[in-house]
Amino acid sequence: MELLRTPDDRFADLPDVVSAPDYVEVDDPDGGPGIRVATYTAGLEDAPAVLLLHGEPSWSYLYRHVVDALVAADLRAVAVDLVGFGRSDKPARIADHSYARHVAWTRQAVDALGLRDAVLVGQDWGGLIGLRLVAAEPERWAGVVAANTGLPTGDVDMPQVWWGFRRAVEKAEILDVGRLVASGCARGLADADRAAYDAPFPDETFKAGPRAMPLLVPTRPDDPENGANRAAWEALGRYDRPFLTAFSDSDPITGAMGPVLRDHVPGAAGRVHPTIPDAGHFLQEDAGAELGRAIVAFTESLPR
């Protein structure tokens, strides 16, 4: 597996970065080389921790306004760039990416960070991966916030708007990552922020991750990851620790999953689950402060 590493100068002068990165190294479960994963930490070291997992095709820059809200409330924000995204190493081939590999890589990063009794926040692929982590180690997490995400098994077809997105990614000769993020925002996206989402990818050779992820979403009943995802659904059906859905009001891709998660996960019962208004798929961009306040209120409500 060939790994690419984005030069640091691509990230110079970005507006409102989360923090300076730290790095952990994870092993490839299929025997490939060690991979450097970028992590970001802000806030008091001994404060309750909140793990922030992004999705496709973004990186931890997405959470910068959420981080501000968490730190202002004396919480510790920890973000991880998925392998192939942000400042993390980038496997050069689409075939180097698999759902199982991304789960394993992210689990190792969480282990290296020493996170326990933290709140896990997952949006988009951050939830597809993060909910698998919760199902595998439910005792590790003080609570979970699912934000515009789900855990597909291929038993229910994906929305047509998602299929349009997948086809656009597959057919694009030049994949415009900043434009893809902007298309998932209800309130628009500034040019400087578009440039920040383009920054991890100096040219097309770096974009195997963003090109691969739509292909890895289970869309048929015989998908190779369906067994693991069905097992995760079963485990989530027993998850009685606090569970919050914080979905936006304008996401045609994942909007239907909010009620499904609330009905299925015991820890979601009896909670007021916020709907973030005037926000699209990337609700962290449209309403980062509002999402951050919802995460703060949830985290502060947990028994410690």
Side-chain angles (χ1 to χ4, degrees), residues 44-61:
L44 301 174
E45 185 175 347
D46 59 351
V50 179
L51 174 65
L52 305 168
L53 296 179
H54 70 86
E56 152 82 352
S58 62
W59 59 292
S60 294
Y61 181 81

Side-chain angles (χ1 to χ4, degrees), residues 4-14 17 20-23 36 38 40 59 81 86-90 199-202 206:
L4 304 177
R5 184 168 294 174
T6 304
D8 286 341
D9 61 10
R10 293 281 298 181
F11 301 97
D13 302 321
L14 293 183
V17 294
D22 293 310
Y23 296 96
R36 193 177 78 162
Y40 311 83
W59 59 292
D81 285 342
R87 292 176 181 258
S88 291
D89 284 348
K90 296 167 181 65
F201 310 108
F206 285 76

Side-chain angles (χ1 to χ4, degrees), residues 230-254:
R230 290 191 182 108
W233 271 111
E234 291 181 9
L236 290 171
R238 300 185 296 272
Y239 187 79
D240 58 4
R241 293 193 177 190
F243 190 100
L244 188 76
T245 60
F247 279 51
S248 67
D249 65 349
S250 301
D251 182 15
I253 296 176
T254 67

Side-chain angles (χ1 to χ4, degrees), residues 152-176:
T153 62
D155 298 312
V156 177
D157 196 14
M158 296 293 289
Q160 285 304 306
V161 65
W162 180 86
W163 281 107
F165 165 75
R166 172 173 160 160
R167 287 192 290 269
V169 171
E170 285 183 286
K171 294 178 180 179
E173 184 175 342
I174 297 177
L175 190 63
D176 189 338

